[in-house]
């Protein structure tokens, strides 16, 4: 059976209908899953195994049969651990059908079919009784339902239901408990992901300052957590204002409540500063004594322990609703509010002589509603985009370029989503500025912006698609300077922002014959790298803690081969260290001074490998050539040549193309080069690529 899937093409901007097989969604889910990453997490696997052995022993010592319930079994790994630890029977629940089928095969292959029953249902639909899915309630509950925020995948309602209907009172649980930790910090870098800072522009008639509108200043931002690899955040980019404190714990061996609630701790800042961010992570105790502990703590909390790299669990950055100046030693209350799936934070100062009445008042203010963006800017710009708009070096490059191209009679049209370029062009002396915004959200944000800076009469917003632009929109003027960063909210991969080229082509009848286009061109760059850890998300497991999980490897490989293995995927590489094995190479150029050509753009060649290492893949990124000698890169910012360490643009995701033959390339005598063919189809806006290790 085929289905038609509609999608807006991010590069060309056109609406497309693609015929997809019924397996499409399934392959997508498997290909993009993090199963391999979890199976490579040695620390997690070892601790789970230790915890399960200990729980089975405790039940057996009481003279009971060990009946295990494993919710969200995935590959069946935890159930097989339980069976090999001596459990009498395991019920392994997995709602995702293809995964449940794989678990059945893996369980059979490892010889546990008589001990493990895989149930392909949501745990809330499982029945218990002589004719049910489970013969009786379990006395050991094993789960791995956690995400970076701990509760984001619905762990609490799942546990709540399991305790009511599927497990015995006083059951053993692995993990036994989870504890959430917090630390208050000041960080201009992280705060720049939530707020827009004033922009300073040196103009002919003195310094101009662009300020954000008041509703943006006071907006609490988005409710969703910002999860990152906090271990890649340099210590100089934040300042800790408090010690690490326990925020709350959940005991999984007792009935769990999922209803909204809050927790409060008292803090005393260890130094004065601006409280902006709550950093948070959790750990899990696999046993009641807390001897078997698996922790997500970042490097500065546990500097002595070897950190386990993992991508399925990271650390959380929460933004306080507003910046609070705090003094060393003053008493503060930090409140964590949570619903079934998410957590958010509030900070209050304790008043002198706090009494019971005040405490009640605090309680009343504690159940604050989850933060919701009121200014709409957080709906238009994601966190990396806020960081990009706040990057003063980047803004300076655009100002420098605009100075070169603007004249006193320039009529400018800007095509980018929610860009500050129209304001910069106006400040730098353009006669007239138009900005083309493709959504109601970007129009309303830019309106507020212009109003706050008294520019509503100076810059005209046009809400229209480029192909529907009419001379009347432009007051019958021809455009002498066409501007773009380019940035579009629909872009995922670096080359999706080539939509600017298609938009430029669509508006070409409105451009003066001597038009200046900024950027004048773009180029696609590529480099072969060895990843420190990111390779694990694509690497087969083979065996995991002695269990054969190759069925899972094959399933992921089939789904990748269905489409994904021939495609690049976006990753923010500042979070994922890698070493360059080749020089960066420019592979394709796109000339914005001309319209998009009818023919495809193709290139082939080879890059020499300069360093020994494992060629995990190629990284690709775009560079935009704004004006003579001024370029901005969305990828590589710096390369240290001795070791090949790379510094990546922190505001953009780079494209990673994983080589399918990494395994072989480790065993072959060192390959000396990688050949590539890259093809840009101008009709579809898609880039096809292929690499071979020589």
């Amino acid at each position: 059976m085929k289905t038609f899937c509609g999608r807006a093409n991010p590069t060309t901007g056109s609406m497309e209908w693609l015929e997809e097989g019924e397996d499409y969604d399934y392959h997508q889910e498997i290909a993009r899953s993090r199963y391999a990453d979890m199976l490579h997490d040695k620390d997690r696997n070892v601790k789970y195994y230790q915890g399960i052995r200990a729980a089975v022993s405790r039940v057996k010592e009481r003279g009971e049969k060990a009946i295990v319930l494993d919710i969200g079994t995935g590959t069946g790994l935890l159930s097989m651990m339980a069976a090999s630890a001596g459990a009498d029977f395991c019920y392994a629940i997995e709602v995702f059908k293809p995964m449940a089928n794989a678990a059945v095969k893996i369980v059979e292959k490892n010889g546990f079919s008589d001990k493990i029953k895989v149930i392909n249902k949501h745990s809330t639909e499982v029945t218990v009784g002589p004719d049910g899915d489970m013969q009786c309630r379990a006395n050991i509950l094993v789960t791995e339902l956690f995400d970076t925020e701990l509760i984001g995948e619905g762990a609490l309602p799942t546990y709540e239901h399991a305790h009511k209907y599927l497990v015995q009172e006083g059951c053993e649980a692995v993990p036994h408990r989870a504890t959430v930790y917090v630390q208050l910090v000041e960080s201009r870098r992280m705060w720049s992901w939530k707020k827009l800072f004033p922009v300073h522009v040196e103009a002919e008639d003195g310094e101009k300052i662009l300020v954000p509108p008041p509703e943006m200043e006071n907006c609490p931002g988005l409710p969703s957590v910002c999860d990152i690899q906090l271990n890649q955040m340099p210590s100089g980019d934040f300042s800790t204002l408090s010690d690490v404190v326990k925020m709350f714990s959940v005991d999984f061996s007792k009935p769990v409540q999922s209803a909204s609630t809050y927790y409060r701790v008292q803090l005393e800042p260890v130094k004065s500063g601006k409280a902006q961010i709550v950093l948070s992570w959790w750990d899990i105790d696999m046993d009641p004594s807390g001897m078997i502990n698996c922790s997500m703590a970042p490097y500065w909390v546990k500097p002595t322990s070897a950190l386990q790299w993992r991508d399925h669990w990271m650390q959380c950055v929460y933004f306080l609703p507003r910046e609070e100046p705090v003094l060393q030693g003053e008493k503060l209350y930090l409140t964590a509010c949570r619903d079934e799936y998410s957590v958010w934070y509030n900070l209050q100062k304790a008043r002198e002589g706090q009494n019971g009445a005040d405490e009640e008042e605090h309680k009343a203010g504690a159940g604050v509603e989850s933060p919701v963006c009121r200014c709409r800017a957080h709906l238009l710009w994601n966190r990396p985009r806020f960081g990009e708009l706040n990057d003063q070096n980047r803004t300076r490059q655009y100002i420098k370029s605009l100075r070169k191209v603007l004249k006193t009679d320039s009529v400018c049209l800007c095509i980018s989503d929610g860009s500050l370029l129209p304001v910069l062009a106006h400040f730098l002396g353009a006669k007239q500025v138009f900005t083309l915004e493709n959504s109601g959200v970007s129009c309303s944000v830019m309106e507020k912006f212009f109003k706050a800076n008294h520019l509503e009469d100076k810059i005209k917003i046009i809400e229209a698609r480029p192909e529907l632009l009419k001379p009347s929109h432009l007051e019958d003027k021809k455009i002498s300077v066409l501007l773009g960063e380019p940035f579009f909210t629909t872009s995922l991969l670096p080359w999706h922002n080539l939509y600017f080229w298609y938009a430029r082509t669509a508006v070409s009848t409105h451009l003066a014959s001597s038009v200046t286009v900024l950027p004048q061109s773009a180029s696609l760059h590529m480099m072969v790298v060895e990843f420190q850890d990111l390779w694990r998300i694509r690497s087969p497991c083979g065996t995991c803690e002695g269990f054969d999980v190759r069925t899972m490897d094959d399933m992921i490989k089939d789904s990748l081969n269905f489409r994904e293995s021939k495609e690049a995927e976006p990753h923010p590489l500042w979070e994922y260290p890698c070493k360059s094995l080749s020089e960066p190479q420019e592979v394709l150029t796109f000339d914005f001074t001309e319209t998009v050509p009818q023919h495809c753009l193709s290139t082939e060649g080879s890059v020499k490998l300069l360093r020994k290492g494992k060629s995990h893949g190629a990284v690709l990124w775009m560079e935009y050539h704004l004006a003579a000698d001024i370029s901005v890169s969305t990828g590589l910012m710096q390369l240290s040549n001795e070791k090949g360490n790379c510094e990546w643009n922190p505001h953009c995701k780079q494209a990673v193309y994983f080589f399918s033959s990494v395994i072989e390339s480790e065993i072959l005598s060192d390959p000396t080069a990688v050949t590539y063919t890259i093809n840009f189809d101008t009709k579809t806006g898609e880039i096809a690529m292929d690499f071979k290790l020589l």
Side-chain angles (χ1 to χ4, degrees):
M1 201 178 83
K2 299 276 188 188
T3 27
F4 280 98
C5 300
R7 66 159 199 163
N9 183 312
T11 315
T12 64
S14 61
M15 191 66 189
E16 295 173 346
W17 289 94
L18 303 172
E19 200 180 23
E20 296 289 6
E22 58 182 331
D23 291 344
Y24 175 67
D25 284 344
Y26 147 62
H27 283 301
Q28 287 278 83
E29 185 153 350
I30 292 289
R32 292 166 190 273
S33 71
R34 283 285 183 263
Y35 291 118
D37 175 31
M38 290 190 278
L39 295 175
H40 278 295
D41 187 341
K42 180 82 177 154
D43 181 58
R44 160 195 177 271
N45 301 337
V46 166
K47 305 281 174 61
Y48 260 100
Y49 210 168
Q50 290 172 345
I52 288 167
R53 281 197 195 102
V56 170
S57 298
R58 289 194 297 276
V59 168
K60 295 278 193 185
E61 279 162 16
R62 296 200 290 266
E64 298 171 27
K65 276 190 165 183
I67 308 296
V68 175
L69 171 63
D70 171 10
I71 301 179
T73 195
T75 54
L77 179 68
L78 303 184
S79 286
M80 293 190 294
M81 287 177 173
S84 66
D88 294 276
F89 202 78
C90 303
Y91 295 102
I93 299 173
E94 177 55 56
V95 70
F96 184 40
K97 190 166 179 54
M99 202 60 238
N101 294 343
V104 169
K105 288 179 191 159
I106 291 169
V107 163
E108 191 179 340
K109 201 171 188 179
N110 287 276
F112 292 111
S113 295
D114 57 332
K115 287 279 188 84
I116 299 171
K117 179 184 179 183
V118 178
I119 302 167
N120 176 211
K121 282 186 175 181
H122 195 282
S123 63
T124 55
E125 294 165 354
V126 168
T127 55
V128 181
D131 303 323
D133 300 307
M134 296 169 63
Q135 290 287 293
C136 60
R137 286 184 175 228
N139 53 10
I140 299 175
L141 175 57
V142 178
T143 63
E144 204 275 61
L145 300 167
F146 314 116
D147 66 349
T148 294
E149 201 174 17
L150 185 72
I151 64 171
E153 288 181 8
L156 297 178
T158 304
Y159 271 113
E160 186 172 40
H161 176 271
H163 276 288
K164 276 184 187 159
Y165 302 106
L166 305 177
V167 296
Q168 295 174 17
E169 197 179 327
C171 74
E172 298 286 347
V174 183
H176 178 79
R177 83 175 68 79
T179 306
V180 172
Y181 298 87
V182 293
Q183 189 169 29
L184 203 57
V185 304
E186 173 179 348
S187 169
R188 185 179 169 84
R189 177 176 176 187
M190 289 185 254
W191 196 236
S192 80
W193 300 342
K194 174 190 186 251
K195 268 180 92 69
L196 199 64
F197 301 151
V199 179
H200 296 258
V201 183
E202 288 294 337
E204 292 285 299
D205 49 351
E207 188 186 52
K208 303 278 173 81
I209 300 176
L210 178 64
V211 295
E215 53 266 67
M216 203 184 286
E217 276 293 271
N218 305 317
C219 183
L222 286 181
S224 59
V225 67
C226 175
D227 52 343
I228 60 168
Q229 293 280 3
L230 211 42
N231 287 317
Q232 295 309 317
M233 183 67 72
S235 57
D237 282 357
F238 63 97
S239 170
T240 56
L241 300 181
S242 78
D243 292 328
V244 175
V245 292
K246 282 185 186 182
M247 194 71 227
F248 64 91
S249 279
V250 185
D251 184 337
F252 298 125
S253 68
K254 297 191 175 77
V256 169
Q257 302 291 318
S258 69
S260 298
T261 186
Y262 71 91
Y263 312 91
R264 172 176 293 122
V265 291
Q266 193 176 318
L267 288 179
E268 282 191 18
V270 291
K271 71 169 159 204
S272 303
K274 294 179 211 147
Q276 297 165 327
I277 307 282
V278 175
L279 299 181
S280 177
W281 57 88
W282 48 264
D283 67 12
I284 41 181
D285 288 320
M286 296 296 183
D287 63 326
S289 69
M291 297 295 285
I292 309 166
N293 178 273
C294 184
S295 173
M296 306 308 121
Y299 65 87
W300 63 90
V301 178
K302 294 198 164 182
T304 51
S305 66
L307 291 167
Q308 165 74 42
W309 184 85
R310 38 174 82 95
D311 205 41
H312 56 108
W313 296 329
M314 294 188 273
Q315 294 80 29
C316 300
V317 174
Y318 294 98
F319 304 92
L320 287 171
R322 71 199 73 78
E323 189 177 85
E324 297 277 3
V326 296
L327 297 169
Q328 183 177 346
E330 79 174 324
K331 283 201 174 79
L332 303 171
Y333 285 108
L334 182 66
T335 306
C337 308
R338 72 148 180 82
D339 55 23
E340 285 185 339
Y341 298 99
S342 59
V343 184
W344 59 97
Y345 287 87
N346 267 300
L347 188 68
Q348 289 170 302
K349 300 195 175 183
R351 289 196 288 280
E352 285 299 313
Q354 191 112 26
N355 57 30
D358 274 350
E359 185 57 37
E360 283 311 307
E361 191 186 311
H362 262 302
K363 277 186 183 168
V368 185
E369 283 184 9
S370 156
V372 173
C373 170
R374 296 188 292 264
C375 72
R376 304 189 83 186
H378 300 89
L379 308 178
L380 174 63
W381 300 322
N382 61 15
R383 284 152 184 157
R385 175 62 172 163
F386 266 97
E388 185 169 66
L389 292 170
N390 283 320
D391 183 337
Q392 290 160 331
N393 291 334
R394 180 177 181 275
T395 303
R396 274 198 287 271
Q397 299 288 75
Y398 282 92
I399 290 173
K400 214 157 93 183
S401 311
L402 285 167
R403 279 212 179 95
K404 286 180 187 258
V405 303
L406 289 177
K407 302 189 175 87
T408 48
D409 61 351
S410 292
V411 178
C412 301
L413 172 64
C414 179
I415 303 181
S416 275
D417 290 349
S419 174
L420 304 185
L421 284 187
V423 182
L424 300 182
H426 170 74
F427 282 167
L428 294 168
K431 182 182 173 187
Q432 194 162 7
V433 183
F434 299 96
T435 180
L436 198 61
E437 300 293 340
N438 73 1
S439 73
V441 173
S442 65
C443 282
S444 79
V445 171
M446 297 321 285
E447 269 166 19
K448 288 174 189 165
F449 218 91
F450 298 158
K451 199 172 167 197
N453 291 279
H454 312 294
L455 299 171
E456 59 268 55
D457 306 332
K458 309 282 195 292
I459 301 171
K460 185 180 170 191
I461 298 171
I462 304 165
E463 186 181 355
R465 294 186 55 79
E467 61 274 19
L468 301 176
L469 191 65
K470 299 188 185 87
S472 57
H473 285 129
L474 302 169
E475 297 163 14
D476 295 315
K477 294 191 173 74
K478 289 286 186 190
I479 297 302
S480 58
V481 181
L482 181 68
L483 303 171
E485 298 189 36
F487 170 84
F488 301 99
T489 53
T490 47
S491 300
L492 294 171
L493 289 161
W495 47 88
H496 288 165
N497 283 322
L498 285 173
Y499 173 61
F500 176 73
W501 201 13
Y502 290 83
R504 176 256 181 270
T505 303
V507 303
S508 51
T509 56
H510 304 284
L511 307 179
S513 56
S514 59
V515 68
T516 301
V517 184
L518 183 158
Q520 57 198 22
S521 64
S523 49
L524 178 68
H525 294 247
M526 181 269 280
M527 187 168 75
V528 178
V529 302
E530 173 181 46
F531 284 107
Q532 190 177 301
D533 295 295
L534 189 64
W535 59 271
R536 294 171 203 274
I537 68 170
R538 282 285 167 271
S539 178
C541 296
T543 60
C544 183
E545 297 310 305
F547 302 101
D548 183 341
V549 292
R550 282 175 300 184
T551 303
M552 178 74 218
D553 292 338
D554 295 342
M555 186 162 128
I556 292 176
K557 195 173 176 196
D558 285 349
S559 288
L560 284 169
N561 288 342
F562 179 74
R563 179 165 308 162
E564 306 275 326
S565 65
K566 290 288 180 197
E567 291 182 356
E569 50 188 70
H571 290 284
L573 290 187
W574 74 268
E575 293 182 57
Y576 302 103
C578 62
K579 179 175 93 170
S580 78
L581 300 185
S582 75
E583 287 290 355
Q585 191 143 326
E586 183 179 300
V587 288
L588 275 180
T589 55
F590 312 92
D591 182 359
F592 298 156
T593 64
E594 302 289 336
T595 55
V596 177
Q598 292 297 302
H599 61 273
C600 290
L601 304 179
S602 298
T603 183
E604 53 183 52
S606 69
V607 282
K608 216 167 130 202
L609 298 185
L610 307 173
R611 295 180 189 85
K612 280 194 173 177
K614 297 173 184 173
S615 306
H616 289 131
V619 178
L620 298 103
W621 67 93
M622 299 291 285
E623 288 189 10
Y624 295 102
H625 310 290
L626 305 182
D629 308 329
I630 304 175
S631 295
V632 291
S633 169
T634 66
L636 193 65
M637 305 300 277
Q638 225 179 330
L639 185 59
S640 82
N641 273 342
E642 320 75 68
K643 292 185 177 159
N645 293 333
C646 311
E647 187 189 318
W648 298 101
N649 184 324
H651 315 306
C652 303
K653 287 185 176 178
Q654 291 74 36
V656 178
Y657 184 105
F658 287 101
F659 297 157
S660 52
S661 54
V662 174
I663 310 305
E664 293 94 70
S665 77
E666 293 169 21
I667 319 160
L668 293 173
S669 58
D670 292 320
T672 54
V674 171
T675 63
Y676 60 84
T677 54
I678 295 175
N679 182 52
F680 177 65
D681 184 335
T682 53
K683 288 188 178 56
T684 63
E686 285 178 1
I687 290 187
M689 56 191 93
D690 199 23
F691 296 89
K692 288 194 174 61
L693 294 159
L694 284 187

